[in-house]
Amino acid sequence: MDRSSIQEAAYIPSPGNDGVRRSAATEKKGPGLQPEVEVKSKRRGRPGGWVRWLDAGVILPLLAGVVFLALWEKQFYHSIFDLKKYQLPLPSAIAQSMRENFSLLLSYTGYTLTEAVLGMLVGSAIGFLIALTATAWPRWGGGSLTMVAALNAVPIVALAPIMNLWFGDGIGSRVAIVTATTMAAMAINAYKGMAAIDPLALDLMHSYAAGKPAVFRYLRIQNSLPYVFTALKINATASMIGAIVGEFFFSSRGLGYLLSNSIKVAKMPLGWSCIVLAAVAGVLFYLVVERLEKIFIKWHPSARS
């Protein structure tokens, strides 16, 4: 008997019920053990507890922030840059000012955030329409992207007095400033998303005799959504800057107005309170947009990856 025959004979179950039971157990147990071993090995390799927190990038940034604030409170930066307390208030003084003026700061933060959200929505909608036009009619709409980029190059300090003359000193002038500063990011990103489509997908649409509206609806706009949300995340912080700078020049309410007046009367802790709240509002605005992105385009390959 050759060697292969000997190996085949070794795998033949012994006669009787015992042999059948052993063979069935082997068949049942064999395939089931492999995933269990893989799961255990994965569990052993997966970091847990505080290691997972470190991997998540939570503990280290928090520790860095605590150390930064502790050094600030101990006047470490004052000694390095030769600053006085009125030039760089201590964190404890800023926190006390926030407690004493909490209702005023909260009201003005809501006012500034309203200007930023309205301006960003209007500016992003106009920017998306410009990208749509430039993609559908490149000969006529392509120049609009250049015009939007040129408008974005105009500094806010030059736009503020013009918008104030056009729309008055109410909320409309700040909304117009934010609109002008958020159009370019949306127009350029959305245009790139609509133009950078897979040629095979476009050929497939053409093979189905799909017209231009169908190509836009099912292919170009769908492909532009990740780029649109990227532009919205950029505009979330840019809109807060535009609203605050606009209030800094012409306004009777808002964080920019309060910051300007605080600096004029040397209430620096109150001025820094405005800066802290503006930063917190900008971060929250960004996180809201990021959450909406995960909800609305979770089906997209870029979100799945």
Side-chain angles (χ1 to χ4, degrees):
M1 185 181 293
D2 58 359
R3 188 171 181 176
S4 61
S5 302
I6 294 173
Q7 289 177 344
E8 288 174 4
Y11 284 106
I12 295 174
S14 58
N17 293 335
D18 189 40
V20 174
R21 237 183 276 121
R22 191 164 51 241
S23 175
T26 305
E27 290 176 1
K28 184 178 179 182
K29 205 171 178 181
L33 271 178
Q34 191 173 358
E36 188 176 352
V37 171
E38 289 179 357
V39 169
K40 285 181 180 178
S41 63
K42 285 180 181 177
R43 283 176 183 168
R44 283 193 213 104
R46 184 190 304 168
W50 62 273
V51 178
R52 198 164 55 206
W53 278 83
L54 285 178
D55 285 346
V58 176
I59 295 297
L60 289 180
L62 281 178
L63 284 176
V66 170
V67 171
F68 178 80
L69 290 177
L71 293 175
W72 186 355
E73 185 66 28
K74 295 297 181 183
Q75 303 183 32
F76 176 73
Y77 310 115
H78 295 74
S79 60
I80 290 179
F81 299 108
D82 193 19
L83 297 173
K84 307 298 180 188
K85 284 185 182 178
Y86 71 90
Q87 294 174 311
L88 180 62
L90 298 179
S92 57
I94 297 172
Q96 183 181 356
S97 176
M98 290 178 72
R99 284 196 301 271
E100 292 172 351
N101 304 280
F102 181 73
S103 59
L104 178 67
L105 288 169
L106 196 63
S107 169
Y108 280 9
T109 302
Y111 185 79
T112 302
L113 197 58
T114 303
E115 294 172 346
V117 172
L118 289 177
M120 191 196 77
L121 291 177
V122 176
S124 299
I126 295 174
F128 187 81
L129 288 176
I130 290 173
L132 204 64
T133 306
T135 310
W137 299 283
R139 180 177 296 179
W140 305 103
S144 57
L145 291 174
T146 308
M147 292 178 63
V148 170
L151 179 62
N152 193 49
V154 178
I156 300 176
V157 292
L159 279 176
I162 296 172
M163 295 302 171
N164 186 54
L165 286 175
W166 287 6
F167 300 99
D169 57 354
I171 193 173
S173 63
R174 266 86 63 193
V175 171
I177 292 170
V178 176
T179 299
T181 55
T182 54
M183 274 193 300
M186 176 57 73
I188 293 171
N189 277 281
Y191 175 77
K192 183 177 181 182
M194 291 181 196
I197 57 173
D198 189 353
L200 294 178
L202 190 61
D203 290 343
L204 181 63
M205 294 291 291
H206 288 159
S207 68
Y208 291 152
K212 186 179 279 190
V215 170
F216 266 86
R217 181 179 177 184
Y218 296 109
L219 186 59
R220 293 190 185 275
I221 293 179
Q222 305 274 345
N223 192 64
S224 71
L225 289 180
Y227 298 87
V228 168
F229 275 100
T230 300
L232 288 177
K233 285 189 280 189
I234 295 171
N235 287 340
T237 51
S239 60
M240 286 297 296
I241 296 172
I244 289 175
V245 174
E247 290 170 351
F248 203 86
F249 290 99
F250 302 101
S251 181
S252 56
R253 292 184 65 188
L255 290 177
Y257 164 76
L258 189 59
L259 176 62
S260 173
N261 281 357
S262 302
I263 293 174
K264 287 176 185 173
V265 297
K267 289 185 176 179
M268 296 309 293
L270 184 58
W272 276 85
S273 301
C274 298
I275 294 172
V276 171
L277 283 178
V280 171
V283 170
L284 291 177
F285 194 12
Y286 176 86
L287 292 177
V288 168
V289 175
E290 191 179 45
R291 183 62 185 162
L292 291 176
E293 180 186 18
K294 290 179 180 175
I295 292 173
F296 285 109
I297 63 167
K298 59 184 178 183
W299 49 268
H300 198 274
S302 64
R304 289 200 300 268
S305 62

